[in-house]
Amino acid sequence: MAARWQGVIALLVLIIISYVDRVNISVMILNPDFAQHFQLNENRMLQGMLMTCFLLGYGFSALLLTPLIESRFHYRHGLLISITVWAAVCAISPLLGSLMGMLIARVILGIAEGPLFSLKTRFISDNFAGDEIGKPNAVTALGVSLGLAVGFPLVTFLMQHLRWMGSFYALAVLNLALGGGLIWRWLPAPVRIDKRVQPGFAQTFRLAWRTPLLGWILLVEIATLSYLWGSSAWLPAWLRDEHHFSLHATGFLAAIPFLLSLGSKFLGGILLDKMRPEQAPVLFVAGGLLTALSVMALMLSHQPGLLALFMLSANIFWGLQGAAIPAVIQHHAAREAVGSAYGIINGVGNICAAFIPLLMGMVMKLVGSVSSGFSVLVASQVITLLAGGMLLLRMRRAAAVGV
């Protein structure tokens, strides 16, 4: 295997592990011992706040730490530091005795994981040509769905056999041994860099903010992440509380939609490599429309067969969009600031999306059902459709005039 593809596989595995860390709370809040230890009980707003705190830390980190790392460190060094910190947070979490302590730990975990996707984007940009970036972007994007698909049943299994405290310790070992080991072994070591041509922090930050069409790309990212975090935070509760599945069954059923999005994400990457760069937003328009319709149908359905069909189709159509956002950034951003440009997109997107689990919890509390909160997901995909349409028009117009 070529060295650059070894790096892609290492990043894929690291993204899988990181998403197991992110969604473990979504399963743990269903555990009575965990909920009692942190005084969560059945308070949907407090449960949503655990995810919100993580995403706030993650978003600000992606936004502000990425330019610093990109201008001063190699992506390999940055990732190894991040892995060490988030493994330590996992190991410390069971020792915390209050909800406030857990909320702070989630913020720190988010800060540690924040630069991951930006550094991944920089690695692909540095090692693949412009007409080759679709497939590596798609492969690494699979880590999101695989992480969610693996995370739900894995955390359920660990809680059943090691209790909730032991599951944190097991995840800490997994982070450090597998994630850190693969990055150390497979991600290419830094070569000598001419400091005279390396832009500093301020210049890198300015270049990133000057990326063409940044506002429209950012709006798509906010909507895409809103769907991701809203669905992953509340899908287990929806399966258990409204459809009365056991905790064991809930973990496996929550994984299935994200498994099926794997094929659509890779298909999106293949399509990107066959499209002209200005055609990439077509995936946002088609994916946003079909995902919104699927979630609406899911909310209105009651038969088990239809529920399964629309739950799966929503994630398939959402997954189709996965590789398009980094590809658009890689085509438009300045090469020396491509990681920071994606950091801005990913950071601001996660900061805004951080409030989606909380907002969904508020809607659920107001209306009295978990499925009512899914209306927020419909709205997010309507925004994807509209912003993607504007992005498509602007990019085609710019291509037509040779800009």
Side-chain angles (χ1 to χ4, degrees), residues 23 115 171 173 295 313 322 400:
V23 303
L171 291 176
V173 173
V295 177
S313 65

Side-chain angles (χ1 to χ4, degrees), residues 235-310:
L235 183 57
W238 177 73
L239 289 168
R240 190 194 68 169
D241 295 347
E242 291 207 0
H243 298 283
H244 313 295
F245 288 100
S246 67
L247 180 61
H248 179 74
T250 292
F252 281 95
L253 288 172
I256 293 174
F258 297 103
L259 275 174
L260 289 188
S261 68
L262 294 174
S264 63
K265 285 189 174 184
F266 195 69
L267 174 61
I270 294 173
L271 292 174
L272 281 171
D273 283 343
K274 296 181 180 298
M275 292 176 173
R276 295 190 302 273
E278 67 271 15
Q279 295 176 321
V282 170
L283 297 180
F284 302 139
V285 175
L289 173 63
L290 294 172
T291 306
L293 292 175
S294 296
V295 177
M296 288 178 62
L298 178 66
M299 294 173 62
L300 298 174
S301 300
H302 299 286
Q303 297 180 3
L306 291 177
L307 287 171
L309 172 65
F310 293 127

Side-chain angles (χ1 to χ4, degrees), residues 56-279:
L56 286 174
Y58 181 94
F60 281 109
S61 175
L63 178 63
L64 299 175
L65 276 186
T66 299
L68 179 65
I69 293 174
E70 190 169 29
S71 62
R72 298 188 180 184
F73 300 100
H74 187 266
Y75 34 70
R76 185 171 185 259
H77 294 156
L79 289 172
L80 289 172
I81 293 170
S82 293
I83 294 166
T84 302
V85 174
W86 85 54
V89 171
C90 274
I92 292 171
S93 292
L95 306 178
L96 303 173
S98 68
L99 178 60
M100 181 58 67
M102 178 57 76
L103 292 174
I104 293 172
R106 297 293 291 176
V107 171
I108 296 172
L109 181 64
I111 292 172
E113 293 192 16
L116 171 55
F117 276 83
S118 305
L119 297 177
K120 178 271 295 184
T121 301
R122 178 61 187 267
F123 170 80
I124 292 173
S125 183
D126 284 353
N127 289 275
F128 292 85
D131 59 352
E132 298 178 319
I133 60 176
K135 292 184 182 67
N137 277 324
V139 169
T140 51
L142 298 181
V144 177
S145 296
L146 279 172
L148 295 170
V150 171
F152 288 124
L154 175 61
V155 175
T156 301
F157 174 83
L158 291 175
M159 283 198 304
Q160 289 177 335
H161 292 82
L162 303 176
R163 301 185 181 273
W164 70 266
M165 298 181 73
S167 67
F168 272 110
Y169 297 134
L171 291 176
V173 173
L174 182 68
N175 291 335
L176 203 56
L178 185 57
L182 282 177
I183 293 299
W184 179 268
R185 177 68 180 85
W186 277 5
L187 205 67
V191 295
R192 185 178 180 85
I193 299 173
D194 187 352
K195 295 294 184 181
R196 293 174 297 176
V197 299
Q198 278 294 104
F201 171 82
Q203 184 182 355
T204 302
F205 199 61
R206 284 195 299 269
L207 284 172
W209 275 105
R210 291 173 183 169
T211 300
L213 302 176
L214 185 66
W216 291 113
I217 303 170
L218 178 57
L219 194 56
V220 171
E221 176 79 341
I222 291 171
T224 300
L225 291 172
S226 295
Y227 180 89
L228 169 64
W229 294 120
S231 60
S232 62
W234 290 111
L235 183 57
W238 177 73
L239 289 168
R240 190 194 68 169
D241 295 347
E242 291 207 0
H243 298 283
H244 313 295
F245 288 100
S246 67
L247 180 61
H248 179 74
T250 292
F252 281 95
L253 288 172
I256 293 174
F258 297 103
L259 275 174
L260 289 188
S261 68
L262 294 174
S264 63
K265 285 189 174 184
F266 195 69
L267 174 61
I270 294 173
L271 292 174
L272 281 171
D273 283 343
K274 296 181 180 298
M275 292 176 173
R276 295 190 302 273
E278 67 271 15
Q279 295 176 321

